[in-house]
Amino acid sequence: MTEKKFDYFINGEKDKWEVIIGLEVHAQVLSQSKLFSSSSTKFGSEPNTQVSLVDSGFPGMLPVINQFCIEQSIKTGLGLKAKINLNSVFDRKNYFYADLPQGYQISQYKNPIVGEGEVILDMPYGTKKIGIERLHLEQDAGKSIHDMDPENSFVDLNRSGVALMEIVSKPDLRSPQEVNFYIKKLRSIMRYLGTCDGNMQEGSLRADVNVSVRTVGDKKFGTRCEIKNVNSIKFMEMAIEYEANRQIQLLESGKIIDQETRLFDTKKNSTRSMRSKEDAHDYRYFPDPDLLPLNLDKDLIDKLKKELPELPDQKKERFIKEHNLSSYEANILVSEKEISDYYEEVIKGCDKKLATNWITVELFAVLNKKNLSIKQSPISAKNLSSLIKMITSGKISGKIAKDVFEKMQSDDKDPKQIVEKEGLLQQSDPKELEKIIVAVISKNQDKVAQYKSGKEKLFGYFVGEVMKASKGKANPQLVNEILKNKLH
Amino acid sequence: MNFLSSQRLLNKMSKISELSLTKIVNGIKKKDFSSEEVTKSFIDSSKKSKKLNTYITECFDEALEISKNFDKKKDYKGLLSGVPIAVKDLFCTKNVKTTAGSKILHNFIPTYESTVTSNLWSQGAFLLGKLNCDEFAMGSSNETSFFGNVKNPYGEKLVPGGSSGGSASALAAGLTPATIGTDTGGSIRQPASFTGTVGLKPTYGRCSRWGIVAFASSLDQAGPMTNSVEDSALLLQAMSGYDSKDSTSVNKKIENYSSNLTEKIKGLKIGIPKEYRVDKMPTEIDDLWKKGIEYLKDAGAIIKNISLEHTMYALPAYYIVAPAEASSNLARYDGVKYGHRAVGKNLIEMYENTRSEGFGNEVKRRILIGTYVLSSGYYDAYYLKAQKVRQLIKNDFDKAFKDVDAILTPSTPSSAFKIGDKSDDPVSMYLNDIFTVPVNLSGLPAISVPAGYDKNNLPLGLQLIGKAFDEQTILNLSLAIEKRANFKKNYSVWWT
């Protein structure tokens, strides 16, 4: 396989430009209750039905840390091969907004719970390491709704206080594609860990995208703009593309970039200014006096480390080493936890290479066609596994297997039953096969003579006739052997 | 009821409201009088006290009802069985208006009960009313309350101190058998000193802050205000305790303060910090301090001169830390969810109008100071520096407590001042807290016990500062002073 080379550069009027991207990903912690209260975090409930006195900022209410959310963020940190800080601090980020009932968000500023780590991306041009700057815990705000009434705005506090992990990357990303891979990898790691469901439609994963540009070869970073709150990978890619080009145009026409916060307009496919650096909030961060500094026990971290599941990178390595898969195949199989779970279920007692082919070619074709996720697969891993076992044990041929696979798609039927019911078992009895072959030979004496006189290509004709006579059920290998003997 | 018996009841009632909390609790238990009689007695004196302006909300009818039910059930198991108690209006009380002395909460009725008041009710007490205080507990004279200033029983023109001024005044005037306040920089001890009552600020973390309208979270602490040291021990025991709803609450065993209470303090070492001898301190304060030293010596204590060398930085540090926290704590009062809301063309204007109308000047001043000291570019110079000073002050105490068991100081640099005297001069007002503030910055327990009078016969208090979670020792030392000082209420009733 020829390795591609990284080639995402933008050609401006004058120069060739490189795009520098850093992401602040907000990942909702998978937990039953909120970061500082016992309210439920269930998505899609009636507005303001999951709100405690703490979440709504009533007088005298105090936050109490949810230990489970702490453990979830430690696990995520470990999954990012990051340093877990034994001492971290919750700070207040002060600003006024109607959906921020306390008038401040509890977050972590100077001392986050997780320090530097990394994420490995398998790009078409090789692996690339993306640095993680930090991960910190914070609470989400509520939701302001401006389009339900011409006069008034509504506030839904169900989200208020829900735990978020803010995962800040280093400015190591260089293209929309790398951002795409990075988000998917991050999401995959968190799904393996069970720390975030990564559901972008429900807002469980969203990102602020920092973009700057510099001419190729320049070592200095340019001035960056932050695109706030982008909630799909496609939009991130579009926003980066637009923003990079906007910045290049400005720079090439001799203007400068203002450091500012911008919004991505999905309808116009463009970004627009939200606020400049001068208008930036002064959040007046200070340690939240209602919460003691968070001091973690090293034993807890060791325990969580031991309990860590196998993560995509490790799994991939194992699949390559132990299952003899290519890096490409392994990547596909580990890309989502559900796919690797499916694969590992299928390979129980059957050929791994064959299983990989059936999953990544046949099954994925069906899923793509029907627009289904692997979790919604019409064929269960168990049934696919027994289909493959019938192939390797010679009970059915590969060709018959494809027919059976087609039939399995309705109601996830057991392939054994289909084969039995329809009499599709492969004919592997040498005596029976011999009878068919003898009959074919006696019917085609002229062709036999031609074959024997040197037209060896006719061998295929005899195989075809035998297969036809057996209605495709004859074991091709045995047919070959017997035919060769008979024709000598 | 004939004239004679009702007259006798009246006499008995007026006497009841002069009794100590402990005597009332015991009297109810021994059936010397009923809970109803006790309640009626305090309601009666409260009703006659409008001029003191101590109550923001009266719960007299409800209290009377509860007392009648109590007398039927006769459950004497609690430490405070059958006792009506009025509390500072900073404690959230379920279904009873809780204002924090502010217009912005003038119509706020909580659906929940603070942990500390819950503790009192589960010991058999019940709510008599909500007492006036400085707005959001910011003040030293009770002049910042939206509900008007409270007057001191010792003089119509005198402040009762603050911020728990309504509590102190009501207690001193016999309108409630005991009360609870909150102390962020002296808000229990200073008014106690001004009204000749006993006020204790427990160790930070001893009492839950859950359900108390927050002023400065790292300093706020609820505590008992009573007419005697014995009462203080009893009420402290009833109100304290670990609360999982307050992350800063400390899970430490609560001593039996009452039964451990003793004036036998022989051999205890008492520190006298030289830094508390401030410039321009009236000689009568110095004399009182000397008297306190004599009382304790007489009881067998050993007096030691000590140094708390960073004391002079405590007040400036406090007036950075407390407003900083307050500026953030008070952000929730924005007119969106509850409390006062003004109209505005848009969200920002609604905020501005609500907060301009809803907060008084002192609260605004502290929000401005707090916002300033936390703002970028000033954080390191003010807030961070103040936190470092705070640590140094803590270290001073830690060092001192290696050699002594408690520290004796005056509670305040003066007796109660006149209404209006300092209200235009915030700095001179803030100086009132000079002896009390270091204690809050260090989280230590301290008590103010009445120990004498100034030349105008106004009460003066002495402060005892204890080691963390050693409330017992300062209670015992206060008892020794109380016995020797023989302080008596010497005001004449002018408000009925």
Side-chain angles (χ1 to χ4, degrees):
Chain A
M1 200 163 83
T2 50
E3 281 219 332
K4 281 188 186 172
K5 273 176 90 177
F6 174 81
D7 63 354
Y8 189 82
F9 298 104
I10 296 177
N11 288 308
E13 303 261 305
K14 296 170 187 158
D15 286 303
K16 195 174 174 186
W17 298 83
E18 184 184 26
V19 185
I20 313 290
I21 308 150
L23 289 190
E24 291 163 28
V25 170
H26 298 263
Q28 184 179 328
V29 175
L30 205 56
S31 69
Q32 298 288 314
S33 50
K34 296 183 179 178
L35 184 52
F36 297 111
S37 82
S38 54
S39 311
S40 166
T41 57
K42 203 167 152 260
F43 179 78
S45 307
E46 284 292 300
N48 296 313
T49 53
Q50 292 168 180
V51 187
S52 73
L53 294 164
V54 176
D55 310 326
S56 46
F58 270 72
M61 290 301 101
L62 300 170
V64 176
I65 189 82
N66 177 345
Q67 182 64 22
F68 182 72
C69 293
I70 301 284
E71 294 185 10
Q72 290 287 69
S73 56
I74 297 172
K75 277 193 202 168
T76 308
L78 293 171
L80 301 174
K81 299 185 199 98
K83 182 175 170 275
I84 308 300
N85 294 324
L86 292 178
N87 303 297
S88 65
V89 174
F90 285 101
D91 296 285
R92 290 186 186 177
K93 179 179 179 178
N94 297 283
Y95 66 95
F96 283 92
Y97 204 63
D99 57 24
L100 189 73
Q102 294 153 308
Y104 55 83
Q105 175 194 30
I106 305 177
S107 180
Q108 295 190 298
Y109 183 51
K110 281 188 184 150
N111 302 292
I113 183 165
V114 177
E116 290 188 327
E118 64 184 41
V119 171
I120 308 290
L121 305 185
D122 284 291
M123 302 308 297
Y125 38 86
T127 59
K128 175 159 182 180
K129 191 185 284 183
I130 305 299
I132 297 293
E133 179 72 36
R134 58 185 278 165
L135 175 156
H136 70 250
L137 269 170
E138 62 184 27
Q139 47 176 193
D140 206 348
K143 199 167 76 178
S144 293
I145 304 158
H146 303 295
D147 55 3
M148 282 177 66
D149 186 287
E151 305 272 311
N152 298 293
S153 288
F154 293 93
V155 174
D156 176 8
L157 294 180
N158 280 355
R159 290 186 73 100
S160 166
V162 165
L164 301 178
M165 296 180 280
E166 180 169 328
I167 304 167
V168 182
S169 83
K170 300 203 183 238
D172 289 349
L173 297 153
R174 293 290 178 272
S175 70
Q177 191 192 28
E178 287 187 358
V179 168
N180 178 317
F181 276 54
Y182 171 76
I183 294 279
K184 283 182 179 160
K185 187 61 179 282
L186 205 57
R187 186 169 61 180
S188 163
I189 291 170
M190 292 190 290
R191 281 183 173 168
Y192 270 78
L193 291 164
T195 57
C196 171
D197 66 18
N199 196 327
M200 296 183 100
Q201 275 104 42
E202 294 178 4
S204 318
L205 197 71
R206 47 194 203 264
D208 301 338
V209 186
N210 287 287
V211 180
S212 68
V213 296
R214 66 182 173 194
T215 52
V216 173
D218 197 348
K219 292 278 169 260
K220 253 181 35 217
F221 287 131
T223 306
R224 68 189 156 86
C225 290
E226 182 184 15
I227 310 160
K228 270 270 174 227
N229 222 0
V230 193
N231 61 3
S232 95
I233 295 177
K234 200 177 126 218
F235 291 154
M236 284 177 209
E237 292 178 293
M238 285 158 66
I240 292 163
E241 184 97 33
Y242 175 86
E243 178 61 18
N245 280 292
R246 184 188 73 90
Q247 292 183 13
I248 291 166
Q249 266 180 21
L250 279 174
L251 291 169
E252 291 202 332
S253 58
K255 296 188 177 123
I256 52 158
I257 308 292
D258 291 322
Q259 188 176 335
E260 61 182 357
T261 304
R262 300 180 68 84
L263 282 175
F264 182 61
D265 188 326
T266 54
K267 286 185 190 112
K268 291 186 189 149
N269 183 22
S270 66
T271 63
R272 65 183 147 85
S273 182
M274 184 178 153
R275 58 173 179 259
S276 72
K277 198 185 176 186
E278 287 74 46
D279 300 332
H281 289 300
D282 183 352
Y283 290 120
R284 291 171 283 123
Y285 283 100
F286 76 108
D288 190 333
D290 285 333
L291 292 161
L292 300 171
L294 183 62
N295 297 318
L296 298 173
D297 197 351
K298 204 178 163 298
D299 292 347
L300 171 71
I301 293 159
D302 292 340
K303 181 185 148 255
L304 293 173
K305 211 179 244 170
K306 271 187 209 140
E307 292 169 3
L308 228 50
E310 190 183 34
L311 292 171
D313 289 343
Q314 300 160 284
K315 218 183 251 294
K316 182 189 160 191
E317 209 172 301
R318 180 165 64 86
F319 286 176
I320 293 171
K321 257 195 199 152
E322 296 176 11
H323 300 186
N324 216 4
L325 303 185
S326 71
S327 166
Y328 174 77
E329 290 168 327
N331 258 338
I332 295 176
L333 291 176
V334 304
S335 64
E336 280 177 42
K337 186 174 185 293
E338 289 78 14
I339 299 176
S340 74
D341 286 347
Y342 189 95
Y343 165 76
E344 297 203 86
E345 183 68 30
V346 172
I347 58 166
K348 279 179 185 161
C350 87
D351 186 85
K352 292 165 181 103
K353 200 81 189 176
L354 203 53
T356 306
N357 280 334
W358 273 91
I359 292 170
T360 58
V361 182
E362 307 297 337
L363 182 68
F364 279 10
V366 171
L367 297 181
N368 278 339
K369 206 171 115 198
K370 300 190 174 171
N371 198 18
L372 297 173
S373 75
I374 191 127
K375 266 191 139 171
Q376 304 161 307
S377 167
I379 295 170
S380 69
K382 201 174 141 237
N383 282 340
L384 183 59
S385 185
S386 50
L387 179 72
I388 294 166
K389 275 176 215 153
M390 282 194 278
I391 302 170
T392 43
S393 65
K395 286 200 177 116
I396 54 170
S397 68
K399 192 170 169 294
I400 294 282
K402 282 186 186 170
D403 296 338
V404 176
F405 183 75
E406 197 67 37
K407 287 176 179 141
M408 284 164 72
Q409 287 171 36
S410 53
D411 305 334
D412 189 24
K413 277 188 198 124
D414 185 343
K416 280 183 219 148
Q417 280 175 11
I418 297 172
V419 168
E420 257 170 50
K421 208 171 136 198
E422 311 206 356
L424 299 173
L425 269 185
Q426 185 161 271
Q427 185 53 267
S428 296
D429 182 347
K431 279 180 190 155
E432 291 295 315
L433 285 178
E434 212 176 310
K435 275 185 205 161
I436 299 170
I437 288 168
V438 168
V440 168
I441 289 175
S442 63
K443 240 197 264 173
N444 294 286
Q445 281 303 321
D446 52 336
K447 297 256 169 39
V448 173
Q450 284 173 13
Y451 177 80
K452 284 186 175 170
S453 69
K455 278 204 163 179
E456 288 191 358
K457 276 186 186 162
L458 277 170
F459 189 76
Y461 170 78
F462 295 113
V463 174
E465 287 301 298
V466 175
M467 294 311 281
K468 225 188 270 170
S470 74
K471 286 172 190 150
K473 289 185 286 182
N475 181 329
Q477 225 176 325
L478 277 175
V479 171
N480 277 348
E481 279 170 33
I482 299 168
L483 251 180
K484 263 180 195 160
N485 278 331
K486 292 287 168 193
L487 289 174
H488 269 293
Chain B
M1 201 182 286
N2 62 38
F3 174 76
L4 260 176
S5 68
S6 68
Q7 193 60 43
R8 216 166 33 239
L9 185 60
L10 218 68
N11 286 338
K12 194 169 156 191
M13 266 161 42
S14 63
K15 255 193 230 151
I16 291 173
S17 67
E18 286 163 18
L19 295 175
S20 76
L21 173 67
T22 310
K23 289 210 169 93
I24 288 171
V25 170
N26 292 338
I28 292 173
K29 252 177 213 167
K30 285 190 284 178
K31 301 191 178 108
D32 292 345
F33 34 74
S34 67
S35 170
E36 186 184 348
E37 285 174 299
V38 171
T39 307
K40 273 187 173 155
S41 164
F42 283 103
I43 291 173
D44 185 57
S45 49
S46 294
K47 278 182 172 166
K48 290 181 194 151
S49 73
K50 299 281 182 207
K51 283 183 190 160
L52 289 169
N53 195 27
T54 54
Y55 279 89
I56 291 177
T57 304
E58 297 171 345
C59 305
F60 299 160
D61 294 344
E62 298 83 347
L64 207 56
E65 200 59 35
I66 297 171
S67 72
K68 283 176 186 162
N69 281 331
F70 174 87
D71 289 333
K72 272 181 219 150
K73 284 186 192 155
K74 299 185 171 63
D75 176 2
Y76 302 113
K77 283 196 292 288
L79 291 171
L80 305 171
S81 296
V83 181
I85 289 181
V87 305
K88 187 179 187 178
D89 205 16
L90 209 67
F91 294 90
C92 288
T93 41
K94 191 173 177 173
N95 301 330
V96 176
K97 195 172 71 171
T98 301
T99 69
S102 180
K103 182 179 178 185
I104 213 155
L105 287 176
H106 71 93
N107 56 359
F108 175 63
I109 299 173
T111 55
Y112 48 93
E113 185 78 32
S114 84
T115 300
V116 162
T117 46
S118 288
N119 288 347
L120 298 185
W121 313 153
S122 63
Q123 291 295 340
F126 47 89
L127 184 65
L128 186 59
K130 303 297 290 289
L131 298 170
N132 207 340
C133 59
D134 278 302
E135 186 178 8
F136 285 101
M138 297 177 190
S140 306
S141 64
N142 226 297
E143 290 167 291
T144 73
S145 169
F146 172 65
F147 301 91
N149 52 279
V150 174
K151 289 172 181 175
N152 193 323
Y154 282 85
E156 199 171 355
K157 295 201 167 101
L158 294 176
V159 304
S163 67
S164 311
S167 295
S169 182
L171 176 67
L175 317 184
T176 179
T179 180
I180 52 175
T182 60
D183 189 316
T184 306
S187 283
I188 287 175
R189 290 159 290 159
Q190 185 253 21
S193 178
F194 281 12
T195 55
T197 54
V198 179
L200 190 154
K201 182 202 92 75
T203 313
Y204 184 79
R206 184 60 105 187
C207 293
S208 170
R209 292 184 297 112
W210 194 89
I212 301 174
V213 177
F215 163 14
S217 311
S218 75
L219 302 159
D220 293 347
Q221 187 62 203
M225 302 176 76
T226 54
N227 281 313
S228 72
V229 174
E230 186 185 32
D231 288 358
S232 187
L234 176 65
L235 195 54
L236 176 64
Q237 202 171 331
M239 70 192 286
S240 22
Y242 172 67
D243 180 6
S244 60
K245 290 186 289 189
D246 174 3
S247 309
T248 62
S249 148
V250 178
N251 197 353
K252 259 205 150 82
K253 198 174 152 260
I254 306 297
E255 309 288 325
N256 192 333
Y257 301 115
S258 295
S259 58
N260 292 343
L261 191 65
T262 169
E263 55 171 313
K264 288 180 188 143
I265 50 120
K266 199 168 176 232
L268 282 183
K269 284 175 240 152
I270 309 302
I272 308 297
K274 63 169 190 249
E275 290 79 5
Y276 281 59
R277 201 156 278 121
V278 292
D279 286 347
K280 291 184 210 159
M281 188 161 81
T283 49
E284 50 205 10
I285 299 291
D286 203 35
D287 291 345
L288 177 84
W289 200 1
K290 282 178 189 145
K291 242 181 357 188
I293 292 170
E294 289 314 311
Y295 293 152
L296 290 177
K297 268 188 188 166
D298 178 60
I302 301 154
I303 304 298
K304 286 191 145 196
N305 287 316
I306 61 163
S307 169
L308 299 167
E309 55 177 328
H310 297 95
T311 300
M312 65 179 293
Y313 303 110
L315 204 61
Y318 172 85
Y319 276 98
I320 289 170
V321 173
E325 293 182 12
S327 72
S328 177
N329 281 336
L330 270 59
R332 65 188 59 201
Y333 308 109
D334 57 7
V336 173
K337 307 160 294 271
Y338 47 75
H340 179 71
R341 180 195 281 190
V343 288
K345 281 202 297 286
N346 51 40
L347 182 66
I348 300 293
E349 208 186 279
M350 187 279 282
Y351 282 158
E352 287 170 354
N353 293 345
T354 297
R355 289 167 68 85
S356 299
E357 291 172 13
F359 291 137
N361 283 341
E362 184 59 27
V363 170
K364 283 177 192 164
R365 175 165 24 245
R366 298 202 196 187
I367 290 174
L368 287 173
I369 294 171
T371 305
Y372 179 78
V373 300
L374 288 176
S375 58
S376 93
Y378 299 97
Y379 180 90
D380 288 358
Y382 292 103
Y383 183 77
L384 203 63
K385 184 71 76 46
Q387 289 292 11
K388 285 176 185 163
V389 169
R390 188 173 181 179
Q391 189 58 51
L392 290 174
I393 288 164
K394 264 185 202 164
N395 295 349
D396 282 354
F397 279 110
D398 287 347
K399 211 174 113 198
F401 279 123
K402 281 182 184 148
D403 296 325
V404 299
D405 299 294
I407 294 166
L408 179 74
T409 77
S411 300
T412 52
S414 75
S415 62
F417 47 87
K418 284 205 180 93
I419 292 169
D421 253 14
K422 295 176 195 274
S423 45
D424 293 331
D425 182 359
V427 174
S428 89
M429 185 73 90
Y430 296 169
L431 279 166
N432 242 280
D433 302 332
I434 194 156
F435 299 142
T436 47
V437 150
V439 172
N440 297 77
L441 289 172
S442 320
L444 299 170
I447 188 168
S448 174
V449 58
Y453 312 88
D454 75 350
K455 57 180 184 296
N456 299 319
N457 263 325
L458 294 177
L460 291 171
L462 282 170
Q463 173 177 243
L464 283 146
I465 307 168
K467 294 178 184 172
F469 300 101
D470 188 14
E471 283 83 359
Q472 189 71 58
T473 297
I474 55 172
L475 281 166
N476 293 350
L477 290 164
S478 306
L479 188 67
I481 291 179
E482 185 181 58
K483 288 269 165 83
R484 285 164 182 80
N486 199 24
F487 178 89
K488 289 273 185 306
K489 286 182 186 177
N490 61 344
Y491 57 74
S492 45
V493 176
W494 53 264
W495 57 87
T496 53

